Amino acid sequence: MIIIYAFFIEPFSIKKSYLSIKQNIKKPIKIIDITDLHIYKYIFFHDKILNEIKKEQPDLILYTGDSIVKNTDKNSLNIFFKKLSEIAPVYAVYGNWDYYDLNMVNDVYNSNNIHLINDNSISLYYGNFTLKLIGLPIYKKLSYADTTNASYTIVMEHIPDTIFYNKEAFDQANLILAGHTHGGQVYIPFITKLFLKKYAFYMRGEKKFSNNKLMYINRDSGHGLISDFFHLQRF
C-alpha cells in the first residue's frame, strides 16, 4: 500500500494552500506559486494543474525552477508554458535541473514571454503599491543586490538555503519562496516526517523568522501557494 501511495497517488495529487497577507493596497493581488514541474511529456496531470490555476484567476504566477528532466520533450515544455502564460504574467528562476539544457529552457521561456529574473530583480507597480521580486541564483550571491525600497518584497529561489548566501536579499525579504526538496522527495504521511524529522524545515511548508519574515518551501507542481494581498496560493 505504501508503494502504491508513494508512486501512483501522491505524485499526481493536487493540493492548494492559501496565505492571506494584509497590505495597504486598494485592490487585492492574487499570486500563485508553483515549482518543480520536471516535464518529460505533456500529460493529463499538466492539464489538471493548469485548470486549477485558471480557476483561481491569478494576477501573477511565480515559478521557482526545475522545468525539465534529462530527456524533456521541448514541444511538451512549450505547450505547458504557453498555456500558463496565457493565464497571467509568469516570473521564474532557474532550478538545478534546468542547467541540463539551459538553451531549451531559455528558448521556451523567451517564446512564451516568461520573465526570467534569475540573479536579478524587478519592481511591479500597483498604484502606490510596489511589489519587488528578487530572483536568486543557485548557491551563490546575487551579482548585484538591489536595495530599492518597496512596499513588499518576495525573494524567489530554488534551493531553500540559497537565501543564507544573500544577506542583502534576506534582510529585504518579507516572503521567501523555494522549491527543490519535493517535500522529502516521496512524502508518505507520518512516515517521511518520522525518519527525516531533523531536516523537516528544509523539506516543506512554512518557516517563520523575526520581523514577520516568512519562508515557504513548496513541494512540487502538484502543490501550490495562493497568496491574496495579497492572497498567495501554493500549487
Side-chain angles (χ1 to χ4, degrees):
M1 288 298 293
I2 289 175
I3 292 174
I4 291 172
Y5 177 84
F7 291 97
F8 297 101
I9 298 176
E10 198 272 344
F12 296 104
S13 64
I14 292 180
K15 180 182 178 182
K16 301 179 190 179
S17 301
Y18 293 83
L19 174 67
S20 292
I21 302 170
K22 293 182 180 179
Q23 292 290 305
N24 185 20
I25 186 171
K26 289 183 178 180
K27 182 184 177 184
I29 306 167
K30 181 175 281 191
I31 299 176
I32 287 183
D33 164 47
I34 60 173
T35 192
D36 291 87
L37 283 164
H38 292 287
I39 289 179
Y40 169 57
K41 290 278 191 180
Y42 190 95
I43 61 172
F44 73 96
F45 183 58
H46 300 116
D47 277 331
K48 284 177 63 177
I49 294 170
L50 290 163
N51 288 335
E52 290 298 322
I53 292 173
K54 195 177 296 184
K55 285 179 189 176
E56 295 294 337
Q57 299 182 312
D59 299 291
L60 201 59
I61 299 170
L62 305 181
Y63 179 66
T64 51
D66 270 7
S67 296
I68 63 173
V69 292
K70 288 184 179 180
N71 301 311
T72 292
D73 174 61
K74 184 177 181 180
N75 186 54
S76 293
L77 191 68
N78 190 70
I79 290 170
F80 184 89
F81 279 101
K82 182 177 187 299
K83 291 183 176 182
L84 186 68
S85 65
E86 289 170 351
I87 299 172
V90 182
Y91 292 83
V93 294
Y94 293 137
N96 54 298
W97 277 83
D98 296 326
Y99 286 88
Y100 279 108
D101 197 337
L102 271 184
N103 288 333
M104 178 171 67
V105 172
N106 288 335
D107 283 349
V108 169
Y109 285 1
N110 290 334
S111 298
N112 295 292
N113 201 29
I114 305 300
H115 306 282
L116 183 66
I117 57 167
N118 201 75
D119 197 16
N120 210 337
S121 63
I122 189 170
S123 293
L124 308 177
Y125 299 93
Y126 301 88
N128 294 324
F129 186 89
T130 306
L131 174 63
K132 181 156 73 170
L133 305 177
I134 300 175
L136 297 186
I138 293 176
Y139 278 141
K140 62 180 182 179
K141 294 187 68 174
L142 283 161
S143 299
Y144 167 73
D146 177 9
T147 56
T148 306
N149 288 332
S151 308
Y152 197 89
T153 298
I154 299 177
V155 173
M156 299 168 58
E157 58 175 353
H158 183 66
I159 298 173
D161 57 351
T162 300
I163 188 66
F164 303 118
Y165 293 75
N166 289 273
K167 185 179 185 301
E168 298 92 341
F170 181 80
D171 289 345
Q172 294 182 66
N174 300 106
L175 177 66
I176 303 158
L177 299 176
H180 184 61
T181 64
H182 296 258
Q185 196 60 43
V186 177
Y187 190 85
I188 303 167
F190 308 112
I191 295 175
T192 301
K193 192 169 184 179
L194 177 66
F195 283 99
L196 299 178
K197 184 165 61 174
K198 181 179 177 181
Y199 307 101
F201 158 56
Y202 291 105
M203 284 200 302
R204 58 190 293 192
E206 297 180 7
K207 169 66 177 176
K208 294 181 180 179
F209 298 95
S210 58
N211 301 319
N212 296 316
K213 196 185 303 290
L214 178 68
M215 173 184 278
Y216 183 80
I217 302 172
N218 205 337
R219 287 173 59 183
D220 53 46
S221 57
H223 301 79
L225 174 70
I226 302 176
S227 182
D228 204 5
F229 259 23
F230 202 46
H231 180 76
L232 188 61
Q233 166 106 17
R234 307 135 181 165
F235 264 89

